Amino acid sequence: MPAPRTVLLTGAAGGLGTLMRGLLPAYGYELRLFDVHPVDGEPDAITADLADTDALREAVRGVDAIIHLAGISLESTFDKILRANIQGTYNLYEAARAEGVARTVFASSNHAVGFTPRPRGDDPLIPVDTPRRPDTYYGLSKCFGEDLAQLYWDLHGLETVSVRIGSCFAEPSTVRMLSVWLSPEDCARLFHAALTAENVGHTVVYGSSANTRLWWDLTSARALGYEPQDDSEQYAEKLVAAQGPLDPARPDHAYLGGQFITDPPRWPH
């Protein structure tokens, strides 16, 4: 499909949102910014909560597509996750349906399948249709978001690409992250592909760079036109020397979700 001109970016003040604010305009997008917190240097950004359905309707009105990053990005109480990630995502999809916004990119997470054992040796890469095994209430909310996206495609014809994001930072900081790292530049490439691919219906993809130590299958992401350019291996020697190799006897090393399995970082951080 033609590249959307105006894209609503929710969670624009967050870490990933800040990275995408800097990278996506180069693809020709005009970003409309939305966050519960003020966005530094962006006086026109919409400051509102996902619970504010009137503000959401106004935010989505007239945009060509949505990148939905807003919500709690770590573990929290179920009540807080319910409000921000489950009810909030439903509110966004209802606003999109009411305003006729046909394409959303939903920030899902590897934590939707966090209790999946990581590949070892010659094991095959983890496919996108592996059974979901969330590792936290946060991961559970991403399972809900994927199901909600499927429902809104089946019921209302709203298309979504759900991106199970790994770890999107300038560079990986742990040995585990060598396998799930998504460079900011590759993230922008993936979001651009997700916004412009034809006939996605509801498509689930993993979000990472082309890492030598990759754990999951990027076939469905590549089918959108995504061509990752980066590889975490350049950071491997230093990280392994400092932290040691992954120990399969440790649950946080044995499963895809890493630390979220044993001691998940809590919101607010």
Side-chain angles (χ1 to χ4, degrees), residues 63-74:
V63 303
D64 301 307
I66 299 166
I67 298 176
H68 182 42
L69 308 180
I72 292 173
S73 60
L74 301 171

Side-chain angles (χ1 to χ4, degrees), residues 14-35:
L16 183 54
T18 298
L19 292 170
M20 293 304 101
R21 280 168 29 219
L23 291 168
L24 287 174
Y27 291 87
Y29 299 115
E30 178 181 332
L31 300 180
R32 183 180 297 176
L33 308 179
F34 182 102
D35 201 289

Side-chain angles (χ1 to χ4, degrees), residues 151-171:
L151 178 65
Y152 271 67
W153 164 242
D154 291 334
L155 275 182
H156 306 300
L158 272 62
E159 292 192 305
T160 297
V161 177
S162 292
V163 182
R164 290 178 182 164
I165 297 170
S167 298
C168 187
F169 299 99
E171 61 181 68

Side-chain angles (χ1 to χ4, degrees), residues 40-98:
D40 288 344
E42 299 288 351
D44 294 331
I46 300 165
T47 304
D49 193 281
L50 291 170
D52 187 340
T53 55
D54 291 336
L56 274 178
R57 280 290 295 271
E58 183 65 28
V60 304
R61 187 168 296 136
V63 303
D64 301 307
I66 299 166
I67 298 176
H68 182 42
L69 308 180
I72 292 173
S73 60
L74 301 171
E75 182 62 319
S76 187
T77 64
F78 181 75
D79 286 344
K80 291 180 180 177
I81 292 286
L82 176 64
R83 182 178 184 275
N85 292 16
I86 295 178
Q87 184 70 52
T89 300
Y90 165 77
N91 290 344
L92 180 75
Y93 270 82
E94 268 298 284
R97 179 195 61 78

Side-chain angles (χ1 to χ4, degrees), residues 135-185:
D135 51 29
T136 45
Y137 293 136
Y138 165 71
L140 182 65
S141 75
K142 297 305 182 179
C143 295
F144 170 83
E146 291 183 12
D147 283 342
L148 187 73
Q150 184 67 54
L151 178 65
Y152 271 67
W153 164 242
D154 291 334
L155 275 182
H156 306 300
L158 272 62
E159 292 192 305
T160 297
V161 177
S162 292
V163 182
R164 290 178 182 164
I165 297 170
S167 298
C168 187
F169 299 99
E171 61 181 68
S173 59
T174 67
V175 174
R176 170 189 174 271
M177 207 179 291
L178 294 169
S179 298
V180 301
W181 180 62
L182 176 63
S183 74
E185 293 78 12

Side-chain angles (χ1 to χ4, degrees), residues 206-228:
Y206 288 115
S208 72
S209 293
N211 302 317
T212 297
R213 302 173 188 235
L214 190 67
W215 286 344
W216 50 50
D217 188 351
L218 293 177
T219 298
S220 61
R222 292 181 182 276
L224 300 176
Y226 173 53
E227 292 295 339

